[in-house]
Amino acid sequence: MQEQTFWDHLDELRTCIMRVVVATLAAGIVAFAFKDALFALILAPQNCSFVTYRLLDQLSAIFGSSGQATNFNISLINTQLADQFIIHIKMAFSVGFLVILPYALYQLFRFVSPALYTNERRYSLRVVSFGYIMFMLGVFITYWLIFPLTFRFLGTYQVDARVENLISLQSYIDIMLMLCFLMGIMFELPILCWLFAKLGFVSANFLRQYRKHAIVIILVVAAIITPTADIFTLTVVSLPIYLLYEVGILVAKSA
């Protein structure tokens, strides 16, 4: 096989990027066309009948926690002329990119795989596949659990009854996207533990030794993500992150 020049590699990279861009545009256009279904999904946590609110309030009652009122009413407003159209485009292409993300990762793997040895190619494929699954799991948990709890608490919080909350659609979308991205990245913790253990930066014993410190950090992060005084809510949010840390110890041990 003839060795490729730098410009050949650059041309392949350009082709790879163009394929991903075209796929994202196609998926985004499809999502844009189905506006009602798209925003029925995105705006579902705004309604007090959202399944997460009802389920967690029932669980809170079982565990003796007061929880928060299920029958809350938060209206979203729009203050800028073009914002709704811009948000429609942004969310359509964000969802479109999530849909084609496996294809984007496949194109990236095709580009770098010729430079890898057989065993490196096998490990890389596993890491990329597991990383995608964990990222999507973080997004899924954020949508069904973390974002609804954050939205309900902050949307109903008042410093005084005379101050009414007017939540903009832009603020709602920004918080949702930020939390989904942050939790998607946070769910890569086991992979980072495996990678750092493989490189010799950390070990399973090191992670076990600092487990108590990690628990404190996890509780602080969970409190920031869902700033509520409800202990049950704090536990529900922090538990998945702690489980990720424990999984990180296991994968570091096997590295």
Side-chain angles (χ1 to χ4, degrees), residues 21-118:
V21 170
V22 170
T24 303
L25 287 173
I29 290 172
V30 172
F32 186 88
F34 290 91
K35 181 184 69 172
D36 292 341
L38 176 66
F39 280 92
L41 181 68
I42 292 171
L43 298 178
Q46 175 201 1
N47 301 316
C48 62
S49 59
F50 190 57
V51 61
T52 302
Y53 301 137
R54 292 187 280 109
L55 179 60
L56 290 180
D57 281 342
Q58 291 173 6
L59 291 175
S60 295
I62 292 174
F63 285 95
S65 178
S66 60
Q68 296 182 29
T70 301
N71 296 320
F72 63 91
N73 180 27
I74 303 176
S75 298
L76 299 179
I77 64 171
N78 179 61
T79 59
Q80 299 296 324
L81 181 62
D83 269 4
Q84 293 203 53
F85 180 69
I86 293 173
I87 288 171
H88 186 188
I89 294 175
K90 178 168 69 174
M91 295 309 296
F93 285 99
S94 296
V95 171
F97 182 73
L98 280 180
V99 170
I100 67 96
L101 187 54
Y103 177 75
L105 294 174
Y106 167 72
Q107 289 295 326
L108 178 63
F109 181 76
R110 282 185 72 247
F111 176 73
V112 302
S113 61
L116 303 175
Y117 294 109
T118 303

Side-chain angles (χ1 to χ4, degrees), residues 189 207-221 241-242 245-246 249:
L189 180 61
L207 295 174
R208 289 194 193 97
Q209 180 181 353
Y210 287 93
R211 180 185 277 120
K212 293 180 180 179
H213 301 78
I215 291 175
V216 173
I217 295 174
I218 288 170
L219 289 173
V220 170
V221 171
I241 305 175
Y242 172 71
Y245 186 83
E246 292 297 330
I249 293 176

Side-chain angles (χ1 to χ4, degrees), residues 203-252:
S203 65
N205 291 332
F206 175 86
L207 295 174
R208 289 194 193 97
Q209 180 181 353
Y210 287 93
R211 180 185 277 120
K212 293 180 180 179
H213 301 78
I215 291 175
V216 173
I217 295 174
I218 288 170
L219 289 173
V220 170
V221 171
I224 293 174
I225 292 176
T226 55
T228 169
D230 185 2
I231 298 300
F232 177 76
T233 300
L234 182 65
T235 303
V236 168
V237 174
S238 59
L239 184 59
I241 305 175
Y242 172 71
L243 291 177
L244 287 174
Y245 186 83
E246 292 297 330
V247 172
I249 293 176
L250 294 176
V251 296

Side-chain angles (χ1 to χ4, degrees), residues 162-173:
R162 294 169 294 180
V163 182
E164 183 180 359
N165 285 330
L166 296 176
I167 312 299
S168 70
L169 176 63
Q170 182 68 59
S171 174
Y172 177 95
I173 295 298

